[in-house]
Amino acid sequence: MNSEEIWNLYHSSSKLQQVVPELKQVTPLSGGYTNFVYLLTGTTQMVLKYFAPFLRIQAQVPIKQDRYYVEKHSLLLVQRCNMGTLKVPKVLFFDDDKSLLGMEYCGSLQTLSELFEDKTVSFQEMQALNQELVDQLKLYKQEMTRISLSLTPEDEKVFENISRQVIFTTMVHPSYRQNAIKYNVLEEMSDVLDRLQPFKPTLDFPLSHGDLWPNSILFNKDKREFWLLDWEMAHRRHLDRDLDQMIANLWLMAKSDHYNQEAIRDLIQRISGLYPWLQTEASRDTFLRFAVDLPQYPHFHCKDPRTVILEAIDLVNKQK
């Protein structure tokens, strides 16, 4: 769905016209690899997200649109949580037939990645922000555990999250092995990759965000608020795996002088204090899978992926 189609939809939808009166501008935003996202500006503003039946960056790859229901349900559920200054956008509009979700515009925000790119911020200020974020992540774990106890059978069906299964089984899991071959670390990674299992929802674990990384957390400097976005991968899993994913991303960022390395290492130390990082096989495996997968993405500025991956393997081996 492109900008012109958004305009046409607006003029045919009284619901959209009520939420954003007198629409003046439709601005494309980053939708990541999967979705199409627009900022609608009239007398008010709203972010409109379209969950297409294919990947945004690879239209030939089909993907179920059930992730629309996952994000909508997640936001409606999490809005009942108290996570301090860790906010989630309010749902303002939805169209189940068209897989369109309208959300509160959170203002001018920086992703956590962008915050660590800004080297003008003092280390002391970054330490304070890091601690604020860690305090909110602690609340996040508590509140997600609490609301998971109240999920209905209808909720559980939504959080089976078929589209996530498709993405990981057909794309992500194979890429781990492909990258291990590409970077010549297959022998060192073989045990970890052999333990990969198809995704199976289980009631034993609470609901988790499912894709916690520095670009899903945004920061409002003026209000000193953190925002947690992009809930379409939410599903039941151990909440520590969310933290494993976050640390793996941060750890790789800390290998590049493009980022404030000292501040990132400080945040890693604080997050790892929330749980037994690398002390279980599941934690070590999650960290290593991301370590072998992430160097391919340009925003990590990874100049020597093989060396970095071997460092990750060595770090894990020292924890066994």
Side-chain angles (χ1 to χ4, degrees), residues 40-315:
L40 275 58
T41 302
T43 55
T44 60
Q45 291 181 298
M46 180 182 75
V47 173
L48 189 66
K49 191 170 185 177
Y50 171 55
F51 300 78
F54 51 83
L55 288 182
R56 184 181 69 85
I57 59 167
Q58 293 181 334
Q60 72 275 17
V61 178
I63 180 172
K64 289 182 177 292
Q65 291 173 289
D66 69 321
R67 63 194 193 281
Y68 155 77
Y69 291 99
V70 173
E71 180 140 8
K72 184 179 80 168
H73 267 66
S74 296
L75 292 177
L76 293 173
L77 281 170
V78 176
Q79 283 167 19
R80 306 192 324 235
C81 291
N82 175 19
M83 293 190 286
T85 58
L86 182 61
K87 307 291 186 182
V88 297
K90 296 176 182 176
V91 174
L92 303 178
F93 168 87
F94 57 86
D95 186 326
D96 293 349
D97 293 332
K98 293 183 172 63
S99 298
L100 283 165
L101 185 63
M103 295 165 284
E104 171 186 9
Y105 175 56
C106 307
S108 179
L109 306 176
Q110 286 181 295
T111 65
L112 201 58
S113 298
E114 291 169 337
L115 192 60
F116 284 121
E117 286 178 322
D118 186 356
K119 297 181 182 180
T120 64
V121 182
S122 71
F123 180 58
Q124 290 72 25
E125 185 176 352
M126 287 304 305
Q127 284 181 305
L129 289 176
N130 286 346
Q131 187 57 52
E132 286 181 35
L133 175 58
V134 168
D135 290 342
Q136 305 319 310
L137 290 175
K138 185 176 181 180
L139 274 175
Y140 160 79
K141 290 185 68 177
Q142 295 172 355
E143 288 295 290
M144 294 301 288
T145 300
R146 182 183 65 80
I147 66 168
S148 299
L149 299 175
S150 63
L151 294 184
T152 66
E154 290 75 18
D155 292 329
E156 297 293 358
K157 188 170 183 179
V158 169
F159 291 120
E160 286 179 0
N161 205 340
I162 302 301
S163 62
R164 183 188 184 279
Q165 296 183 48
V166 171
I167 290 173
F168 273 74
T169 303
T170 64
M171 297 181 62
V172 177
H173 288 181
S175 77
Y176 293 151
R177 189 169 296 276
Q178 291 163 7
N179 287 335
I181 294 171
K182 175 182 177 181
Y183 301 131
N184 194 25
V185 293
L186 183 59
E187 182 178 351
E188 292 86 350
M189 289 288 295
S190 59
D191 289 345
V192 173
L193 298 176
D194 289 344
R195 283 193 290 270
L196 271 176
Q197 297 293 325
F199 171 68
K200 294 180 181 178
T202 172
L203 299 181
D204 295 338
F205 295 133
L207 184 65
S208 78
H209 178 274
D211 193 23
L212 195 64
W213 69 298
N215 277 16
S216 60
I217 295 180
L218 288 84
F219 180 64
N220 185 317
K221 276 188 176 180
D222 296 330
K223 297 183 179 180
R224 292 188 74 87
E225 292 176 339
F226 290 98
W227 290 79
L228 183 52
L229 308 183
D230 298 333
W231 286 78
E232 68 190 73
M233 292 294 178
H235 63 289
R236 281 189 179 271
R237 74 168 176 178
H238 201 301
L239 287 166
D240 288 353
R241 303 295 78 79
D242 274 353
L243 301 184
D244 287 330
Q245 179 178 353
M246 174 61 78
I247 289 181
N249 278 264
L250 292 170
W251 186 87
L252 192 62
M253 288 167 59
K255 296 298 176 182
S256 169
D257 59 10
H258 180 82
Y259 296 103
N260 187 332
Q261 295 166 301
E262 185 181 24
I264 294 174
R265 287 192 290 266
D266 176 76
L267 180 55
I268 291 173
Q269 182 178 8
R270 292 172 191 272
I271 295 176
S272 64
L274 294 177
Y275 75 113
W277 180 52
L278 299 184
Q279 300 306 303
T280 66
E281 183 177 81
S283 179
R284 293 190 291 268
D285 283 2
T286 303
F287 174 73
L288 284 180
R289 287 167 191 158
F290 279 104
V292 78
D293 182 57
L294 297 177
Q296 65 182 305
Y297 299 109
H299 54 269
F300 287 101
H301 305 277
C302 188
K303 298 175 183 177
D304 188 355
R306 186 173 190 276
T307 297
V308 169
I309 295 167
L310 289 175
E311 285 183 30
I313 293 170
D314 183 58
L315 175 62

